[in-house]
Amino acid sequence: MLGNFMYCNPTRIYFGENALDGLKKELPKYGKNVLLVYGGGSIKKNGIYDDVVAILKACGKEITEDPGVMPNPTVDKLYEGCARAKTCKADLILAVGGGSVCDYAKAVSVSTYCDEDPWEKYYLHMEDVDNEIIPVGCVLTMVGTGSEMNGGSVITNPHQKLKIGHVFGDNVFPKFSILNPTYTMTLPKYQMVSGIFDIMSHILEQYFSGEDDNTSDYVMEGLLRSLIHSSKIAVENPNDYEARSNIMWIATWALNTFVAKGKATDWEVHMIGPSIGAYTNATHGMTLAAVSIPYYKFILPYGVAKFKRFATEVWGVDPTGKTDREVAEEGLAEMEAYMRSLGLVMHISEFGVTEDMFEGIADGTFLNEGGYKVLTHDDVISILKASM
Ligand code: NZQ
Ligand code: ZN
């Protein structure tokens, strides 16, 4: 484990079919005013809303609702949420939904008492929080982002065509998260597989960096094998509790800072994908899927040894009689076949991307230095072309 690091994850997790009981244990720790944040209404159809509200009422809470958080939450919605949180003097923000709802709740939590414009302060200038932070709790209904146990908060500014994530410190992590795998069973298949690929991408972004012998890489290989195994089962039978619960737990560990320890980390797919999202409002995991194979083919020559290890340890490729490069490429071919079997979107043209958007998408793509190749603006354009 190279380098020096601090590890602390303050989020308390309640996991399993009875996880919502945890909400009763957590609520007494906070004041009476709760801002209840949710999305477009899925929680009303599947009954989660009723169960949560019943517990809030039983615990004597004053509820102010903040519904309508859209996938890829916008800066305008953020301003609206801050006004609501301020008016109701929220003691706790309870997010009930997927990554968008959890991310938004964190953005409201740090922005409500921010004197400056939060979009400029946190997203354009990447400044730290120096004002009051409203505590956040999550009841997760969609799996993939890891937002339930991290400080990530991604906000889209459709006016500026920018989608930017700020990774806040552990003072902004949810105080608690309720993870009941049965809540994810009502997800449409498109969302389920998008979330599965989001998980895979989070792991790969951290795995494809560094050349040292690092325990985090072994952990990630295990997580990837479990994800591939369980996702194949879940696609066949979305109601398989064992598979769905494994996927939920892998998602949390893929992006709760643990496997990043000792790693440089890449995150370039997560720079290109969201920039596409800013132009098209496409589903997050699908944007990653559509650029991943072209991206990894592009950087493979700069990290052959790791791609070979990925092929043998994750996909079970037999290296006998093959060059390192051949083994590495076979690994990517296995990954591509798996992605197609899941039904992921493999072409950015399907989101409505046209060639005249390439320059803008590349301009909105931050160029990171932690992976095997530091991309140039033109490299991003080449990858976009190959992703059409
Ligand atoms: O809005 P409702 O009606 O609830 O419907 C949602 C939404 O349309 C639906 N859904 C959620 N749970 C459901 C359900 N439908 C039926 N049954 C359920 N149980 O699913 C749709 C998508 O939800 P959303 O929250 O947008 O998906 P996801 O969890 O993928 O979150 C995406 C957002 O998270 C950001 C993405 O950029 C994007 O903005 N990310 C956050 C990260 C983090 N915090 O660390 C990292 C990720 O890389 C990602 O960037
Ligand atoms: Zn992601």
Side-chain angles (χ1 to χ4, degrees):
M1 298 298 286
L2 299 180
N4 303 290
F5 57 81
M6 186 281 290
Y7 178 73
C8 166
N9 195 315
T11 305
R12 187 183 298 265
I13 298 285
Y14 294 89
F15 191 94
E17 284 175 278
N18 299 328
L20 197 59
D21 290 347
L23 187 59
K24 297 174 202 153
K25 297 193 183 111
E26 291 296 322
L27 288 177
K29 298 178 187 171
Y30 304 92
K32 73 173 187 344
N33 299 322
V34 175
L35 186 71
L36 177 62
V37 175
Y38 56 96
S42 68
I43 63 164
K44 289 203 166 163
K45 287 193 206 116
N46 57 24
I48 299 171
Y49 172 89
D50 290 340
D51 292 347
V52 168
V53 167
I55 292 174
L56 286 168
K57 286 188 175 156
C59 292
K61 301 297 177 185
E62 285 292 331
I63 306 169
T64 299
E65 299 212 3
D66 185 8
V69 179
M70 60 294 280
N72 312 320
T74 64
V75 66
D76 302 301
K77 178 67 186 162
L78 170 61
Y79 297 142
E80 189 190 308
C82 291
R84 267 180 222 208
K86 206 174 228 172
T87 309
C88 78
K89 298 193 176 64
D91 298 305
L92 173 73
I93 302 175
L94 186 63
V96 186
S100 293
V101 173
C102 298
D103 277 20
Y104 166 85
K106 285 180 237 175
V108 172
S109 111
V110 296
S111 302
T112 300
Y113 298 110
C114 173
D115 293 333
E116 298 150 67
D117 176 54
W119 170 253
E120 288 190 9
K121 181 178 168 79
Y122 299 129
Y123 295 93
L124 293 181
H125 303 150
M126 288 292 162
E127 289 175 28
D128 291 333
V129 192
D130 52 12
N131 50 257
E132 185 183 336
I133 298 168
I134 305 171
V136 170
C138 299
V139 178
L140 195 68
T141 67
M142 148 111 199
V143 166
T145 63
S147 190
E148 66 275 14
M149 203 180 187
N150 71 33
S153 171
V154 183
I155 294 293
T156 298
N157 186 323
H159 317 291
Q160 298 176 5
K161 290 218 183 309
L162 289 172
K163 180 177 182 186
I164 302 177
H166 187 125
V167 181
F168 291 99
D170 57 28
N171 51 347
V172 182
F173 284 31
K175 299 291 176 217
F176 62 90
S177 283
I178 311 286
L179 273 56
N180 180 340
T182 64
Y183 288 177
T184 68
M185 304 271 191
T186 54
L187 275 170
K189 187 187 172 207
Y190 189 88
Q191 294 296 342
M192 179 183 79
V193 297
S194 170
I196 288 169
F197 191 75
D198 194 18
I199 303 168
M200 177 168 279
S201 180
H202 294 158
I203 301 173
L204 299 184
E205 298 273 30
Q206 299 166 93
Y207 184 73
F208 286 122
S209 66
E211 281 156 12
D212 53 315
D213 186 32
N214 188 319
T215 299
S216 295
D217 286 327
Y218 297 82
V219 174
M220 287 190 271
E221 285 162 358
L223 291 174
L224 284 167
R225 286 202 297 271
S226 179
L227 178 68
I228 293 162
H229 176 75
S230 291
S231 59
K232 287 178 180 169
I233 297 169
V235 166
E236 284 299 312
N237 178 12
N239 292 324
D240 188 304
Y241 180 84
E242 197 170 39
R244 299 300 290 267
S245 62
N246 284 332
I247 293 167
M248 192 169 214
W249 196 224
I250 300 163
T252 304
W253 284 89
L255 195 51
N256 70 0
T257 75
F258 173 60
V259 298
K261 294 304 160 200
K263 300 290 305 176
T265 75
D266 181 356
W267 294 111
E268 201 53 47
V269 169
H270 270 73
M271 297 297 118
I272 304 173
S275 192
I276 292 167
Y279 274 74
T280 60
N281 200 25
T283 300
H284 171 67
M286 292 303 193
T287 63
L288 309 174
V291 299
S292 280
I293 295 296
Y295 174 70
Y296 288 123
K297 280 186 178 162
F298 193 84
I299 65 160
L300 181 145
Y302 306 90
V304 172
K306 194 58 169 289
F307 279 93
K308 179 187 176 193
R309 177 172 163 173
F310 176 61
T312 58
E313 302 309 306
V314 176
W315 298 102
V317 172
D318 178 2
T320 319
K322 298 169 195 160
T323 65
D324 289 356
R325 177 81 183 241
E326 282 167 351
V327 178
E329 284 171 352
E330 210 174 310
L332 279 192
E334 289 285 341
M335 176 171 151
E336 184 171 353
Y338 160 83
M339 290 172 71
R340 290 188 190 282
S341 75
L342 247 51
L344 293 162
V345 176
M346 303 298 280
H347 303 282
I348 58 175
S349 51
E350 288 185 37
F351 310 128
V353 173
T354 47
E355 292 209 2
D356 58 303
M357 295 178 189
F358 284 0
E359 281 296 325
I361 293 171
D363 284 344
T365 300
F366 294 93
L367 303 173
N368 289 335
E369 293 184 353
Y372 292 126
K373 161 123 182 45
V374 183
L375 297 188
T376 63
H377 180 91
D378 288 349
D379 291 341
V380 177
I381 303 264
S382 304
I383 291 161
L384 292 172
K385 270 191 192 143
S387 307
M388 286 294 275

